[in-house]
Amino acid sequence: KSKPKVDTLAMRDKPPADLTFEELSRTLFEANDVIGAAELAATLPELASMTVLDSKEKGRLVGVPFFLLNWRQNEGDFGSFWSLIIVTKADEKLVLNDGSTGIGAQMDAIAESGNTKAIYVKKGLRVSKYEYEDPKTHERKPAATYYLDLSA
């Protein structure tokens, strides 16, 4: 008796809560729906050249022209966030992750618009700096929200 075919694409999109690593591994390998990272990197060397920006590094993109090539919404520990694939004027290939009320909200609107074209962000990011009160310590702390600078 053969096992029923598993829709691994649907499973990868919304993994069942009770799915274990071992079950996932077995299912993906049996369906031939997995590739090793090293094998993929060997066929797509541009992936190895991409840098994921740390949240504290966003400031270096303020005023720096870049192309926003692709974007995807993800679910994280603190809610949804966007992963943006960008190439700067200095030829840096970067992944920028953001779920804030700034870039995150802008990306929500862009996705809802149906736009799928690459976006030229001539003036890079802009930043709004402010202070907030830490709810645990009641101390005032500096914070920043970043936006795609959409001005002409």
Side-chain angles (χ1 to χ4, degrees):
K1 240 183 190 181
S2 66
K3 293 181 183 177
K5 183 149 171 75
V6 175
D7 183 350
T8 56
L9 190 57
M11 183 185 67
R12 287 188 290 138
D13 192 39
K14 290 198 180 265
D18 62 347
L19 183 67
T20 66
F21 181 86
E22 289 75 21
E23 291 170 317
L24 176 63
S25 176
R26 183 174 49 254
T27 302
L28 291 175
F29 278 102
E30 284 175 1
N32 195 27
D33 189 27
V34 65
I35 186 170
E39 182 182 350
L40 182 63
T43 62
L44 296 170
E46 62 274 14
L47 288 180
S49 67
M50 295 190 95
T51 301
V52 177
L53 282 181
D54 181 275
S55 63
K56 296 186 184 350
E57 292 181 288
K58 289 178 193 171
R60 70 185 183 97
L61 294 177
V62 171
V64 175
F66 62 82
F67 282 100
L68 172 50
L69 299 181
N70 209 344
W71 49 91
R72 177 184 171 151
Q73 192 169 35
N74 304 290
E75 284 301 320
D77 294 338
F78 303 105
S80 66
F81 68 96
W82 288 91
S83 294
L84 315 180
I85 306 297
I86 67 173
V87 177
T88 69
K89 190 169 183 167
D91 295 326
E92 293 179 286
K93 286 133 186 102
L94 304 170
V95 177
L96 170 65
N97 293 313
D98 193 284
S100 73
T101 57
I103 295 171
Q106 288 176 305
M107 292 311 302
D108 289 341
I110 289 168
E112 287 174 24
S113 78
N115 177 67
T116 58
K117 292 182 179 182
I119 301 170
Y120 177 49
V121 186
K122 181 168 82 174
K123 295 185 178 178
L125 299 183
R126 65 181 176 81
V127 62
S128 173
K129 294 185 178 189
Y130 57 96
E131 288 187 342
Y132 75 100
E133 185 177 309
D134 185 311
K136 292 179 183 171
T137 65
H138 301 290
E139 288 180 66
R140 304 278 306 156
K141 294 190 174 183
T145 299
Y146 291 89
Y147 299 85
L148 300 173
D149 189 335
L150 302 177
S151 63

